[in-house]
Amino acid sequence: MLRIGQPSSLNAEPAERADAARNRALLLDAAQQLVREHGVAGLTMDALAKRAGVGKGTVFRRFGNRSGLMLALLDHSEQKFQTAFMFGPGPLGPEAEPIDRLIAFGRTRLLDIELEGDLHRAAEEKGRFGDGPYALHRAHIVLLLRAAGVRGELALIADGLLATLSAALVLHQMEVLGYTRAQIGDNWEWLVRRVVSPVAQVE
Protein backbone atom coordinates (compact mmCIF):
# COMPACT_ATOMS: atom_id res chain seq x y z
CA MET A 1 0.00 0.00 0.00
CA LEU A 2 1.24 3.44 -0.89
CA ARG A 3 1.37 6.08 1.80
CA ILE A 4 1.72 9.64 0.64
CA GLY A 5 3.40 11.47 3.54
CA GLN A 6 3.56 15.16 4.27
CA PRO A 7 6.71 16.95 5.46
CA SER A 8 6.65 18.24 9.00
CA SER A 9 8.71 21.37 8.27
CA LEU A 10 10.34 23.41 5.53
CA ASN A 11 13.59 21.63 6.29
CA ALA A 12 12.00 18.45 4.97
CA GLU A 13 11.58 19.86 1.44
CA PRO A 14 14.33 17.68 -0.16
CA ALA A 15 12.79 14.62 1.51
CA GLU A 16 9.38 15.71 0.22
CA ARG A 17 10.70 15.83 -3.32
CA ALA A 18 12.31 12.42 -2.92
CA ASP A 19 9.13 11.00 -1.41
CA ALA A 20 7.03 12.51 -4.19
CA ALA A 21 9.24 10.97 -6.86
CA ARG A 22 9.23 7.61 -5.09
CA ASN A 23 5.46 7.63 -4.62
CA ARG A 24 4.93 8.61 -8.24
CA ALA A 25 7.12 5.70 -9.33
CA LEU A 26 5.15 3.35 -7.09
CA LEU A 27 1.90 4.57 -8.62
CA LEU A 28 3.28 3.97 -12.10
CA ASP A 29 4.52 0.50 -11.14
CA ALA A 30 0.98 -0.27 -9.97
CA ALA A 31 -0.42 1.14 -13.22
CA GLN A 32 1.99 -0.97 -15.24
CA GLN A 33 0.89 -4.09 -13.37
CA LEU A 34 -2.77 -3.28 -14.04
CA VAL A 35 -2.08 -2.96 -17.76
CA ARG A 36 -0.20 -6.25 -17.78
CA GLU A 37 -3.06 -8.00 -15.99
CA HIS A 38 -6.09 -6.39 -17.64
CA GLY A 39 -4.91 -4.45 -20.68
CA VAL A 40 -5.16 -0.72 -21.23
CA ALA A 41 -8.94 -0.80 -20.78
CA GLY A 42 -8.43 -2.00 -17.21
CA LEU A 43 -6.35 1.02 -16.28
CA THR A 44 -8.67 3.64 -14.84
CA MET A 45 -8.06 6.28 -12.22
CA ASP A 46 -10.36 4.38 -9.84
CA ALA A 47 -8.62 1.06 -10.46
CA LEU A 48 -5.20 2.59 -9.94
CA ALA A 49 -6.23 4.28 -6.69
CA LYS A 50 -7.62 1.00 -5.39
CA ARG A 51 -4.55 -1.01 -6.44
CA ALA A 52 -2.14 1.53 -4.96
CA GLY A 53 -4.12 2.05 -1.76
CA VAL A 54 -4.47 5.81 -2.14
CA GLY A 55 -7.35 8.19 -2.61
CA LYS A 56 -8.63 8.86 -6.10
CA GLY A 57 -7.78 12.53 -5.64
CA THR A 58 -4.13 11.62 -5.20
CA VAL A 59 -4.10 9.94 -8.61
CA PHE A 60 -5.73 12.96 -10.26
CA ARG A 61 -3.29 15.35 -8.60
CA ARG A 62 -0.35 13.31 -9.86
CA PHE A 63 -1.48 12.84 -13.47
CA GLY A 64 -4.34 15.24 -14.15
CA ASN A 65 -6.49 12.79 -16.12
CA ARG A 66 -6.34 9.37 -17.75
CA SER A 67 -4.49 10.71 -20.80
CA GLY A 68 -1.85 12.20 -18.52
CA LEU A 69 -1.58 8.87 -16.72
CA MET A 70 -1.08 7.01 -20.00
CA LEU A 71 1.66 9.39 -21.10
CA ALA A 72 3.38 9.09 -17.74
CA LEU A 73 3.14 5.30 -17.88
CA LEU A 74 4.68 5.19 -21.35
CA ASP A 75 7.54 7.36 -20.13
CA HIS A 76 7.96 5.21 -17.01
CA SER A 77 8.07 1.98 -19.00
CA GLU A 78 10.53 3.45 -21.48
CA GLN A 79 12.82 4.76 -18.74
CA LYS A 80 12.96 1.32 -17.13
CA PHE A 81 13.87 -0.24 -20.47
CA GLN A 82 16.54 2.37 -21.18
CA THR A 83 18.07 1.98 -17.74
CA ALA A 84 18.23 -1.78 -18.25
CA PHE A 85 20.02 -1.69 -21.61
CA MET A 86 22.31 1.21 -20.72
CA PHE A 87 23.31 0.35 -17.16
CA GLY A 88 21.81 -2.99 -16.16
CA PRO A 89 23.32 -6.47 -15.95
CA GLY A 90 23.91 -8.73 -18.92
CA PRO A 91 22.86 -9.96 -21.29
CA LEU A 92 21.00 -6.69 -21.91
CA GLY A 93 23.44 -4.41 -20.10
CA PRO A 94 27.00 -3.32 -20.90
CA GLU A 95 28.83 -6.26 -19.29
CA ALA A 96 27.73 -8.64 -22.08
CA GLU A 97 29.07 -9.08 -25.62
CA PRO A 98 27.53 -6.84 -28.33
CA ILE A 99 25.74 -9.66 -30.15
CA ASP A 100 24.26 -10.96 -26.89
CA ARG A 101 23.10 -7.45 -26.02
CA LEU A 102 21.48 -7.06 -29.43
CA ILE A 103 19.61 -10.33 -29.02
CA ALA A 104 18.54 -9.43 -25.48
CA PHE A 105 17.41 -5.98 -26.63
CA GLY A 106 14.94 -7.50 -29.06
CA ARG A 107 13.69 -10.22 -26.74
CA THR A 108 13.16 -7.73 -23.92
CA ARG A 109 11.29 -5.35 -26.20
CA LEU A 110 9.09 -8.18 -27.40
CA LEU A 111 8.17 -9.01 -23.81
CA ASP A 112 7.23 -5.37 -23.20
CA ILE A 113 5.08 -5.38 -26.32
CA GLU A 114 3.37 -8.62 -25.36
CA LEU A 115 2.51 -7.20 -21.92
CA GLU A 116 1.88 -3.55 -22.82
CA GLY A 117 1.24 -3.70 -26.54
CA ASP A 118 -1.56 -1.14 -26.70
CA LEU A 119 0.61 1.45 -24.97
CA HIS A 120 3.50 0.93 -27.37
CA ARG A 121 1.21 0.92 -30.39
CA ALA A 122 -0.34 4.19 -29.24
CA ALA A 123 3.13 5.70 -28.88
CA GLU A 124 3.99 4.67 -32.43
CA GLU A 125 0.82 6.28 -33.75
CA LYS A 126 1.96 9.59 -32.25
CA GLY A 127 5.23 9.38 -34.19
CA ARG A 128 8.18 7.02 -33.94
CA PHE A 129 11.09 8.61 -35.75
CA GLY A 130 11.80 11.87 -33.95
CA ASP A 131 14.22 12.71 -31.18
CA GLY A 132 12.52 10.56 -28.54
CA PRO A 133 12.98 6.92 -27.55
CA TYR A 134 13.29 5.70 -31.13
CA ALA A 135 16.36 7.86 -31.70
CA LEU A 136 17.99 6.46 -28.55
CA HIS A 137 17.17 2.88 -29.53
CA ARG A 138 18.62 3.50 -32.97
CA ALA A 139 21.82 5.02 -31.58
CA HIS A 140 22.17 2.13 -29.13
CA ILE A 141 21.84 -0.48 -31.87
CA VAL A 142 24.29 1.39 -34.09
CA LEU A 143 26.77 1.36 -31.22
CA LEU A 144 26.35 -2.38 -30.71
CA LEU A 145 26.60 -3.11 -34.44
CA ARG A 146 29.83 -1.14 -34.64
CA ALA A 147 31.21 -2.93 -31.57
CA ALA A 148 30.32 -6.25 -33.19
CA GLY A 149 32.36 -5.32 -36.26
CA VAL A 150 29.44 -4.83 -38.64
CA ARG A 151 30.24 -2.74 -41.70
CA GLY A 152 27.95 -0.83 -44.00
CA GLU A 153 25.36 1.90 -43.40
CA LEU A 154 24.81 1.13 -39.73
CA ALA A 155 22.02 3.63 -39.25
CA LEU A 156 20.02 2.03 -42.05
CA ILE A 157 20.75 -1.44 -40.70
CA ALA A 158 19.55 -0.32 -37.28
CA ASP A 159 16.34 1.05 -38.81
CA GLY A 160 15.80 -2.28 -40.53
CA LEU A 161 16.24 -4.21 -37.31
CA LEU A 162 14.01 -1.86 -35.34
CA ALA A 163 11.28 -2.17 -37.96
CA THR A 164 10.84 -5.80 -36.94
CA LEU A 165 10.16 -4.63 -33.36
CA SER A 166 7.32 -2.30 -34.31
CA ALA A 167 4.51 -2.84 -31.81
CA ALA A 168 1.91 -2.74 -34.59
CA LEU A 169 3.74 -5.45 -36.53
CA VAL A 170 4.50 -7.63 -33.50
CA LEU A 171 0.89 -7.46 -32.27
CA HIS A 172 -0.34 -8.39 -35.75
CA GLN A 173 2.04 -11.34 -35.79
CA MET A 174 0.83 -12.50 -32.37
CA GLU A 175 -2.87 -11.72 -32.54
CA VAL A 176 -3.65 -12.31 -36.22
CA LEU A 177 -0.96 -14.62 -37.56
CA GLY A 178 -0.71 -16.69 -34.39
CA TYR A 179 3.02 -16.52 -33.76
CA THR A 180 4.27 -16.71 -30.19
CA ARG A 181 6.65 -14.25 -28.60
CA ALA A 182 9.25 -17.03 -28.48
CA GLN A 183 8.97 -17.61 -32.22
CA ILE A 184 9.27 -13.91 -32.98
CA GLY A 185 12.21 -13.67 -30.58
CA ASP A 186 13.93 -16.61 -32.27
CA ASN A 187 13.46 -14.87 -35.61
CA TRP A 188 14.96 -11.69 -34.14
CA GLU A 189 17.99 -13.66 -32.96
CA TRP A 190 18.36 -15.32 -36.37
CA LEU A 191 18.22 -11.92 -38.06
CA VAL A 192 20.77 -10.37 -35.67
CA ARG A 193 23.18 -13.26 -36.16
CA ARG A 194 22.84 -12.97 -39.94
CA VAL A 195 23.56 -9.23 -39.79
CA VAL A 196 26.59 -9.69 -37.55
CA SER A 197 27.94 -12.68 -39.51
CA PRO A 198 31.17 -11.85 -41.41
CA VAL A 199 29.61 -13.38 -44.52
CA ALA A 200 26.97 -10.66 -44.50
CA GLN A 201 29.39 -7.73 -44.27
CA VAL A 202 29.58 -5.12 -46.98
CA GLU A 203 32.96 -3.77 -48.00
Side-chain angles (χ1 to χ4, degrees):
M1 178 182 294
L2 297 180
R3 298 184 185 276
I4 310 299
Q6 295 295 328
S8 59
S9 70
L10 292 177
N11 292 333
E13 186 178 352
E16 179 186 21
R17 286 197 296 267
D19 286 346
R22 181 169 57 252
N23 289 329
R24 186 175 188 275
L26 289 171
L27 279 169
L28 290 170
D29 283 339
Q32 189 175 48
Q33 194 62 39
L34 278 171
V35 169
R36 292 182 172 190
E37 292 174 2
H38 305 292
V40 170
L43 179 59
T44 65
M45 307 299 263
D46 284 329
L48 177 55
K50 183 177 179 181
R51 171 62 63 92
V54 300
K56 186 176 176 181
T58 296
V59 178
F60 276 98
R61 283 194 298 273
R62 296 285 180 183
F63 305 109
N65 53 36
R66 190 170 183 272
S67 295
L69 172 60
M70 290 297 183
L71 289 173
L73 182 55
L74 273 170
D75 183 64
H76 181 67
S77 179
E78 178 59 34
Q79 286 188 30
K80 289 171 72 173
F81 180 53
Q82 291 177 12
T83 298
F85 72 68
M86 293 172 68
F87 308 111
L92 185 59
E95 66 186 39
E97 294 297 318
I99 188 170
D100 294 326
R101 296 184 70 191
L102 280 166
I103 292 168
F105 180 97
R107 290 192 182 275
T108 302
R109 199 57 170 175
L110 289 171
L111 176 60
D112 287 344
I113 292 170
E114 182 178 53
L115 296 174
E116 303 167 353
D118 289 341
L119 285 174
H120 292 284
R121 181 162 48 193
E124 289 178 4
E125 291 171 356
K126 293 180 181 297
R128 300 184 62 220
F129 307 112
D131 296 327
Y134 184 88
L136 179 61
H137 297 176
R138 187 176 190 248
H140 178 66
I141 289 181
V142 166
L143 181 68
L144 294 179
L145 290 171
R146 184 175 294 115
V150 176
R151 297 190 297 274
E153 292 293 336
L154 299 187
L156 291 178
I157 295 171
D159 281 335
L161 288 172
L162 284 170
T164 69
L165 298 178
S166 159
L169 174 60
V170 171
L171 290 173
H172 176 76
Q173 291 169 334
M174 290 180 177
E175 297 170 357
V176 179
L177 301 182
Y179 289 103
T180 66
R181 175 171 55 85
Q183 288 175 305
I184 300 170
D186 289 345
N187 186 68
W188 165 265
E189 179 171 347
W190 178 87
L191 182 60
V192 166
R193 292 191 184 280
R194 290 281 295 179
V195 167
V196 174
S197 169
V199 177
Q201 302 307 303
V202 177
E203 295 294 343

